[in-house]
Amino acid sequence: MSTEYIRIEKSQPLSGIAQLAGAKNAVLVIMASLLLTEGKNKLTNVPFSEDIRHMIRLLEMLGAVVEVDKDMGTLVIDTTLISSFRVPVEIMKRMRASILVMGSLLARFGKAEVALPGGCSIGERPIDYHLKAFSKMGATFSTSNEYIHCNADKLRPITHILDYPSVGATENIIMGTALLKGTTRIINASVEPEVLDLIEVLNKMGAHIRVLAPATIEIEGVSSLEPIDHQIMYDRLEAGSLLLAAAITGGELSLPDAPARSMTVFLSLLEEMGHSITLGDNNTGVHIQATQEPRAVSFKTMPYPGFPTDLQAPMMAALCLASGKSVIHETVFENRLVHVRELQKMGAQISIEGQTATIVGVDELYGAAVIASDIRAGAALVLAGLAAHGHTTMTGVHHLKRGYDAIVPKLASLGGRISTQFEE
Ligand code: UD1
């Protein structure tokens, strides 16, 4: 079997205009939410990264009929014939987001059979918040042969107080209660933009869901939900990764679709590094003119509106070449500094203590053979490769492809010397 790898050479400053893809984390959960309807739903602006393909297979296994138009970025998903509430273990192991169908299945069938999900190896990532929330509402759980059997015949609406604003747990509770008579509240809920896109979709279906500042979500159950058409929001994480590709190569890039209003903390750090950032009208669209002398900055990853953990690794790559000392504290996942070892192979000066990485900027990075261990680590290594002398080869490409749709040709079209290769 041949091994896929990405070959990257030191590139000229990336420049031009790039079109963004739809947000992977919004599409995945919105696809799961369609199980609450019976009929034909249409999603546009859909990226076809690997995780989306898995979710298509998952829905098909449950009985959905899915029509894919890759050129148009469209999915038509007919949920009329959903007949199964069991998600096969093989699918669950491939992608953590498979757990997101649990809430919808419980709402539709009063039961669900799922397994412990897989996905990126960036920490423990248990699903205890999800299970605890449903058991507080009256669901029961038993396990056999890797499956968790959930029974939720008699759910009752309650007020949930989350210990941590988990994105997935918030989404599952919302989907699990949209059809539950009475008022469910989630206090200390996740209010990531992708959660808000899910809420917009559910309200279009006919749900009654409100977000109360700062982080409470109130769900007034309705008796049925109708199929919808929806355009998926643009991907702020792809936007951030592309802006960093321009930043690390000293380039200039426009992203007319970038959802700038949900990128405030990230964009202000780019400015603190010395890059010039201009926003489009109505906070949509971002233009970066990169500085040739970036400065170090320090930050902590946090739930939204804080700095997103999914941009921590790409930002670290850029900071490897910034003058001075940057300190990054990863607070969301406990094993999300694996890319440090790979960046060190390229000449980066980084030390780790617990969940904190200290980066002392160097003048040059050097191409090396590196391995991507998760989606965002892959993005970080690609960025470092664009700025490193010589050439870099990155394996573990499947991780990158889980979260980014056609990122290699996109970077190449902006001037990146990057290509996908296969070795026998
Ligand atoms: C989602 C995103 C992922 C992003 C993350 C944080 C999707 C498909 N994925 O993942 O890209 O990095 O949000 O912004 O939307 N936790 C528990 N118990 C639980 C659930 C979570 O301890 O039951 C912990 C996790 O291990 C982690 C933290 O809570 O340390 C945050 O996880 P969570 O917000 O749930 O992330 P995901 O929904 O898995």
Side-chain angles (χ1 to χ4, degrees):
M1 219 175 76
S2 63
T3 308
E4 186 174 8
Y5 66 94
I6 294 178
R7 182 186 161 95
I8 315 142
E9 287 174 58
K10 185 171 169 70
S11 303
Q12 65 203 66
L14 260 58
S15 66
I17 301 178
Q19 174 87 45
L20 289 176
K24 167 193 85 105
N25 287 349
V27 190
L28 289 172
V29 70
I30 287 169
M31 288 172 75
S33 78
L34 303 181
L35 296 172
L36 295 168
T37 69
E38 283 186 33
K40 264 194 182 181
N41 297 272
K42 185 175 176 190
L43 302 180
T44 52
N45 204 27
V46 177
F48 288 99
S49 50
E50 285 301 312
D51 275 6
I52 311 295
R53 293 176 212 274
H54 288 316
M55 192 55 108
I56 292 173
R57 272 192 51 219
L58 190 163
L59 294 184
E60 285 175 339
M61 282 175 162
L62 296 176
V65 178
V66 184
E67 290 167 41
V68 178
D69 186 335
K70 275 190 209 140
D71 296 334
M72 296 302 289
T74 305
L75 276 182
V76 176
I77 302 180
D78 189 339
T79 49
T80 315
L81 299 176
I82 299 288
S83 52
S84 170
F85 49 84
R86 170 187 274 231
V87 185
V89 172
E90 317 82 75
I91 287 266
M92 292 290 305
K93 296 278 175 223
R94 296 194 77 143
M95 172 179 75
R96 180 171 170 86
S98 357
I99 195 64
L100 294 175
V101 297
M102 187 177 87
S104 299
L105 289 175
L106 289 178
R108 183 162 179 149
F109 293 104
K111 44 193 169 187
E113 289 181 12
V114 295
L116 284 178
C120 283
S121 47
I122 54 178
E124 279 288 313
R125 306 189 86 182
I127 54 166
D128 54 324
Y129 300 154
H130 302 241
L131 302 184
K132 204 165 109 189
F134 283 100
S135 76
K136 275 190 175 162
M137 289 191 285
T140 54
F141 298 96
S142 61
T143 52
S144 70
N145 301 329
E146 293 195 83
Y147 280 97
I148 305 172
H149 307 266
C150 322
N151 202 312
D153 276 345
K154 298 182 210 101
L155 282 190
R156 58 178 182 278
I158 61 166
T159 293
H160 297 271
I161 302 176
L162 298 187
D163 292 340
Y164 185 88
S166 154
V167 177
T170 300
E171 294 170 335
N172 249 335
I173 298 170
I174 295 173
M175 293 184 282
T177 59
L179 289 166
L180 179 65
K181 194 165 180 233
T183 308
T184 302
R185 281 189 197 85
I186 313 171
I187 294 174
N188 195 28
S190 163
V191 288
E192 304 274 330
E194 293 77 13
V195 175
L196 303 186
D197 209 21
L198 166 69
I199 292 175
E200 191 183 323
V201 163
L202 292 171
N203 283 340
K204 266 189 199 171
M205 289 176 183
H208 288 170
I209 304 171
R210 295 197 300 159
V211 182
L212 309 170
T216 294
I217 295 175
E218 199 172 83
I219 305 120
E220 195 69 53
V222 295
S223 55
S224 67
L225 294 170
E226 299 304 318
I228 44 93
D229 278 14
H230 185 70
Q231 180 184 328
I232 302 294
M233 60 180 281
Y234 287 100
D235 195 331
R236 65 192 167 113
L237 304 171
E238 188 198 29
S241 308
L242 290 171
L243 291 171
L244 285 166
I248 202 169
T249 57
E252 182 172 4
L253 175 66
S254 286
L255 302 175
D257 305 315
R261 76 176 72 244
S262 59
M263 298 173 69
T264 310
V265 172
F266 170 75
L267 294 175
S268 69
L269 273 182
L270 285 182
E271 284 183 321
E272 209 181 312
M273 287 176 76
H275 302 297
S276 164
I277 301 290
T278 318
L279 304 188
D281 292 340
N282 297 324
N283 277 340
T284 302
V286 178
H287 178 88
I288 181 171
Q289 166 77 64
T291 175
Q292 306 303 315
E293 293 176 352
R295 296 186 292 271
V297 293
S298 297
F299 65 92
K300 271 186 194 177
T301 62
M302 303 272 275
Y304 188 80
F307 190 99
T309 174
D310 286 347
L311 285 176
Q312 177 259 107
M315 186 70 167
M316 186 185 294
L319 292 175
C320 290
L321 289 167
S323 93
K325 186 170 90 176
S326 305
V327 180
I328 300 179
H329 187 52
E330 171 59 52
T331 75
V332 179
F333 289 108
E334 73 277 14
N335 189 25
R336 207 171 205 184
L337 294 172
V338 180
H339 45 281
V340 167
R341 192 182 52 215
E342 304 304 306
L343 291 170
Q344 285 167 334
K345 286 184 193 164
M346 301 177 76
Q349 269 196 35
I350 310 172
S351 56
I352 301 185
E353 206 179 320
Q355 289 295 99
T356 303
T358 302
I359 303 120
V360 177
V362 291
D363 290 337
E364 306 284 4
L365 290 174
Y366 298 93
V370 291
I371 307 166
S373 54
D374 66 71
I375 300 175
R376 310 299 166 182
L381 296 171
V382 163
L383 297 186
L386 292 170
H389 279 285
H391 76 266
T392 297
T393 53
M394 187 188 86
T395 48
V397 179
H398 59 286
H399 289 293
L400 184 74
K401 285 175 31 178
R402 285 190 41 218
Y404 293 90
D405 183 14
I407 192 76
V408 169
K410 206 173 271 191
L411 289 169
S413 74
L414 298 170
R417 296 174 70 187
I418 178 168
S419 58
T420 301
Q421 309 273 338
F422 294 89
E423 190 175 69
E424 291 304 321

